[in-house]
């Protein structure tokens, strides 16, 4: 099948979502290309998870439209796999069965291979409760990847991790993305993480996209690089409002 | 070696108190502190057990009681289980049935004994009916709540990962409700014995409860105590079964 390069993989058009009268997303416009890596940043409660859940088809929107390869999304987005903010492993299934969830046929081999990719092959017979926070998230990542999704939605997958494990996981995600060329949307509250991984960083504020920044740095990116630091600073200064900015200056 | 010895000790500790009690009881009976008109000595109870076993009477009564308990438990338990699952999952049947079930639940089922005797006489049906009725509600309530309380997030995750229908049920909903269901089963096993004892004592031609009632007419204190002990053992046994199921199926919790 010939893929038209101009058709975006995901197209959000004037997307609006409100929960009982509080407007969370107020006209989001976004085109994501095939194989693009997007990072979404924004303050807690600004609607990042809601946006991912809309793209996954887990939530209904009020107005606008979501199109996947020019087809309006109706119900579950079967091409997408979402990795939830809170992991959501099934505590009563062992690691391997968690990864193999929803697979058909010879699922064991496929699941083992996915676990190998995240470096947890050796823990496949353990209960999830026996894993550390980072290991759980790696299992959740393997579970999302095992379906070979065309769209990968990551909701703060590294939120609960220490700096070192975070770095490892970032490398892992980047490596998998480069290998599989999955269209990826990563939600994070860490601007550096966003700049390190994404082709484009998007900032959501008051229900709208207020910043969309292309990151044209070569990979793998050095966080100590001056350009890198500058870009991070620029985005960060857009997030924090003037009052908080003053506070930051005072602290410095 | 020492570890195994310790484990052995630990397994024996729960039985220390019952055995001690038995020994004291025997001693007090021998030296007359406990009159045999109030409580026969354990040895007498034991002799009664041997005698009744040799005539085949005891095994008959036991197997009849066990049969009633099992059949009643299966009927009531399965009914409660399926109703709980239906109402836990389908909104329509929940709306239609739950209120009625909750109303019935609040009638003490033993209060129905006179009615049940009039309906079914004092043959098997009445006992099995009462046991089933008593067992139904605890199983129903706990299954129902177990299903209702399965984390919505996990169900959503299951759906997002392509699970639907029976797959979703057996991978997410049922395992999520299982620990609550087992609590219901454990509780209903207690109800099962209680109901059976009362029903057999009041109206029966056979079974442990009948054996005790019959013994009362002939002042056979040892047989009465024997039947009480048998009930205690049965109770302990069903508790062990419940515990075994929990250990087997809720391994992930430990
Ligand atoms: N199911 C819901 N019902 C009502 N309000 C909701 C629901 N889900 C989210 N909200 C509200 O929508 C807003 C956005 O929530 P969302 O979870 O998308 O934020 P977020 O950007 O992911 O925040 P965080 O960074 O803390 O995860 C919040 O104000 C939240 O209270
Ligand atoms: Mg969130």
């Amino acid at each position: 099948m010939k893929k038209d390069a101009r058709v975006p993989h995901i197209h959000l058009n004037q997307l609006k979502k409100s929960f009982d009268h509080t407007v969370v997303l107020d006209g989001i416009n976004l085109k994501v290309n095939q194989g693009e890596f997007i990072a979404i940043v924004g303050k807690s409660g600004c609607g990042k998870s809601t946006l991912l859940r809309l793209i996954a088809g887990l939530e209904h929107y009020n107005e606008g439209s979501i199109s996947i390869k020019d087809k309006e999304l109706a119900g579950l987005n079967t091409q997408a796999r979402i990795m939830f903010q809170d992991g959501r492993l099934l505590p009563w299934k062992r690691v391997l069965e968690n990864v193999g969830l929803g697979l058909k046929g010879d699922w064991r081999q496929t699941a083992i291979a996915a676990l190998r990719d995240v470096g947890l092959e050796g823990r496949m017979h353990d209960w999830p409760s026996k894993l550390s926070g980072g290991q759980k998230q790696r299992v959740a990542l393997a579970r999302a990847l095992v379906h070979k999704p065309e769209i990968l939605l990551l909701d703060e997958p590294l939120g609960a991790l220490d700096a070192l494990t975070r770095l490892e996981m970032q490398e892992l995600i980047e490596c998998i993305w480069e290998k599989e060329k999955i269209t990826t949307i990563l939600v994070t509250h860490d601007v550096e993480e966003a700049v390190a991984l994404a082709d484009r960083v998007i900032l959501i504020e008051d229900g709208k996209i207020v910043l969309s920044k292309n990151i044209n740095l070569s990979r793998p990116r050095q966080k100590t690089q001056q350009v890198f630091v500058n870009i991070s600073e620029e985005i960060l200064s857009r997030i924090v409002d003037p009052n908080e900015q003053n506070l930051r200056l005072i602290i410095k | 070696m020492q570890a195994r010895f310790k484990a052995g000790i630990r397994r024996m500790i729960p039985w220390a108190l019952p055995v001690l009690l038995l020994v004291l009881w025997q001693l007090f009976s021998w030296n007359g502190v406990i009159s045999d008109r109030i409580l026969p000595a354990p040895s007498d109870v034991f002799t009664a057990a041997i005698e009744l076993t040799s005539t085949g009477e005891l095994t008959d009564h036991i197997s009849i009681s066990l049969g009633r308990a099992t059949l009643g438990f299966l009927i009531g338990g399965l009914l409660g289980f399926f109703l709980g699952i239906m109402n836990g999952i389908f909104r329509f049947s929940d709306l239609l049935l739950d209120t009625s079930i909750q109303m019935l639940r609040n009638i003490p089922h033993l209060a129905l004994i006179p009615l049940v005797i009039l309906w079914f006489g004092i043959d098997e049906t009445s006992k099995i009916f009462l046991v089933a009725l008593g067992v139904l509600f605890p199983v129903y309530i706990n299954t129902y709540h177990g299903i209702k309380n399965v984390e919505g997030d996990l169900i959503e995750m299951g759906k997002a990962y392509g699970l639907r229908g029976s797959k979703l049920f057996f991978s997410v909903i049922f395992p999520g409700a299982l620990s609550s269901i087992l609590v219901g089963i454990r509780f209903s096993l207690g109800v099962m014995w209680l109901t059976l004892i009362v029903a057999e004592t009041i109206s029966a031609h056979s079974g442990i409860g009948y054996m005790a009632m019959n013994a009362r007419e002939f002042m056979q204190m040892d047989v009465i105590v024997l039947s009480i002990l048998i009930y205690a053992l049965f109770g302990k046994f069903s508790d062990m079964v419940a515990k075994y199921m929990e250990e087997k199926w809720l391994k992930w919790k430990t």
Side-chain angles (χ1 to χ4, degrees):
Chain A
M1 201 172 72
K2 186 172 156 279
K3 273 183 193 136
D4 188 346
R6 283 163 304 172
V7 172
H9 197 173
I10 307 169
H11 187 176
L12 311 180
N13 184 26
Q14 282 301 324
L15 194 63
K16 287 190 187 170
K17 170 72 187 173
S18 47
F19 291 107
D20 324 302
H21 307 308
T22 47
V23 179
V24 178
L25 298 175
D26 189 16
I28 296 279
N29 292 302
L30 179 66
K31 287 179 186 171
V32 184
N33 294 323
Q34 184 87 39
E36 197 178 6
F37 197 133
I38 300 274
I40 301 180
V41 293
K43 284 194 189 154
S44 179
C46 73
K48 304 183 295 290
S49 297
T50 306
L51 185 60
L52 278 202
R53 292 166 51 76
L54 284 171
I55 297 172
L58 293 171
E59 198 99 57
H60 297 289
Y61 46 89
N62 302 95
E63 280 173 50
S65 69
I66 300 179
S67 308
I68 307 297
K69 287 183 187 158
D70 247 358
K71 264 217 205 101
E72 174 119 10
L73 179 65
L76 266 179
N77 187 345
T78 48
Q79 297 180 12
R81 280 293 177 263
I82 183 167
M83 184 179 160
F84 295 95
Q85 197 165 358
D86 49 358
R88 301 197 192 173
L89 299 180
L90 296 175
W92 46 80
K93 284 190 182 285
R94 292 174 197 273
V95 166
L96 186 65
E97 280 136 20
N98 260 293
V99 174
L101 200 70
L103 284 181
K104 293 182 185 81
D106 187 19
W107 63 273
R108 258 167 206 284
Q109 291 313 316
T110 325
I112 290 174
L115 271 175
R116 196 178 301 135
D117 284 344
V118 299
L120 279 177
E121 199 188 359
R123 305 300 297 269
M124 62 183 181
H125 297 304
D126 281 328
W127 299 112
S129 60
K130 295 281 183 290
L131 301 181
S132 73
Q135 289 168 335
K136 277 182 203 155
Q137 282 176 312
R138 274 191 274 168
V139 173
L141 183 63
R143 182 178 65 182
L145 290 170
V146 84
H147 295 262
K148 300 250 174 288
E150 294 182 41
I151 300 171
L152 185 60
L153 306 169
L154 305 170
D155 194 351
E156 295 193 33
L158 317 180
L161 302 184
D162 64 277
L164 269 176
T165 322
R166 249 181 124 86
L167 270 171
E168 267 175 37
M169 283 285 286
Q170 287 173 7
E171 272 167 31
L172 179 65
I173 288 173
E174 188 171 29
C175 171
I176 288 168
W177 170 78
E178 281 189 325
K179 199 169 73 182
E180 316 271 347
K181 283 291 165 205
I182 311 171
T183 307
T184 303
I185 303 184
L186 167 78
V187 165
T188 176
H189 58 240
D190 180 352
V191 173
E192 276 199 353
E193 182 171 291
V195 177
L197 292 176
D199 297 323
R200 185 151 45 118
V201 178
I202 279 162
L203 170 60
I204 297 183
E205 212 173 82
D206 298 327
K208 293 198 167 67
I209 293 179
V210 296
L211 177 74
S212 171
K213 175 103 187 140
N214 288 315
I215 316 287
N216 298 315
L217 302 176
S218 60
R219 297 169 188 269
R221 295 168 179 166
Q222 300 297 321
K223 289 184 183 171
T224 47
Q225 232 180 323
Q226 193 53 45
V227 232
F228 187 99
V229 176
N230 290 346
I231 296 174
S232 302
E233 280 291 316
E234 184 194 334
I235 297 171
L236 201 60
S237 65
R238 290 291 301 264
I239 301 180
V240 285
D241 60 38
N243 293 330
E244 281 176 54
Q245 183 115 38
N246 290 341
L247 199 69
R248 268 165 50 89
L249 288 176
I250 293 167
I251 291 168
K252 269 187 181 170
Chain B
M1 187 59 209
Q2 210 182 358
R4 200 188 295 173
F5 179 70
K6 264 192 190 154
I9 294 273
R10 198 165 303 144
R11 209 164 302 147
M12 271 150 53
I13 286 178
W15 297 100
L17 224 52
V19 170
L20 182 73
L21 217 65
L22 216 59
V23 171
L24 283 179
W25 174 9
Q26 182 70 50
L27 287 177
F28 287 145
S29 297
W30 268 334
N31 62 22
V33 177
I34 301 176
S35 142
D36 62 355
R37 250 186 261 158
I38 292 172
L39 206 59
S43 53
D44 294 342
V45 177
F46 187 68
T47 333
I50 299 281
E51 250 168 56
L52 285 173
T53 313
S54 66
T55 61
E57 232 177 300
L58 187 62
T59 32
D60 280 355
H61 286 310
I62 286 182
S63 57
I64 284 171
S65 285
L66 271 179
R68 286 172 183 155
T70 316
L71 197 59
F73 181 82
L74 282 180
I75 294 173
L78 285 177
L79 215 62
F81 178 71
F82 282 119
L83 282 173
I85 289 202
M86 291 280 291
N87 292 358
I89 293 179
F90 302 110
R91 190 170 305 169
F92 179 74
S93 75
D94 189 9
L95 273 175
L96 183 70
L97 298 173
D98 186 57
T99 307
S100 311
I101 296 176
Q102 298 294 349
M103 280 195 311
L104 286 178
R105 182 175 77 96
N106 284 308
I107 305 170
H109 65 293
L110 293 177
L112 295 181
I113 289 182
L115 198 60
V116 170
I117 292 178
L118 285 180
W119 283 347
F120 302 114
I122 59 168
D123 66 356
E124 291 314 287
T125 325
S126 60
K127 259 94 46 193
I128 291 165
F129 177 83
L130 279 169
V131 171
L133 197 66
V135 162
L136 194 153
F137 297 111
V139 173
Y140 170 77
I141 291 286
N142 285 285
T143 307
Y144 178 77
H145 281 132
I147 298 242
K148 286 269 174 189
N149 287 334
V150 175
E151 264 182 78
D153 285 353
L154 290 182
I155 295 177
E156 186 188 73
M157 184 281 297
K159 284 182 184 161
Y161 277 75
L163 302 181
R164 219 160 292 124
S166 68
K167 270 223 166 121
L168 185 66
F169 178 78
F170 286 110
S171 297
V172 183
I173 300 175
F174 180 70
L178 190 56
S179 82
S180 174
I181 293 173
L182 289 178
V183 169
I185 287 180
R186 197 164 184 172
F187 189 82
S188 66
L189 283 171
V191 175
M192 172 186 86
W193 288 120
L194 179 78
T195 311
L196 192 68
I197 294 165
V198 174
E200 282 186 346
T201 309
I202 291 177
S203 64
H205 297 305
S206 54
I208 308 291
Y210 166 78
M211 190 175 85
M213 262 338 251
N214 198 39
R216 188 200 56 127
E217 298 209 341
F218 302 98
M219 293 292 281
Q220 292 166 317
M221 197 68 103
D222 44 0
V223 178
I224 296 176
V225 173
L226 175 66
S227 18
I228 293 171
L229 285 182
I230 289 174
Y231 277 130
L233 283 179
F234 278 174
K236 174 71 192 161
F237 176 69
S238 43
D239 218 45
M240 273 161 61
V241 170
K243 224 176 181 170
Y244 172 78
M245 289 197 286
E246 280 175 16
E247 268 163 28
K248 192 170 160 59
W249 292 331
L250 302 180
K251 257 191 230 142
W252 54 273
K253 281 207 163 175
T254 53

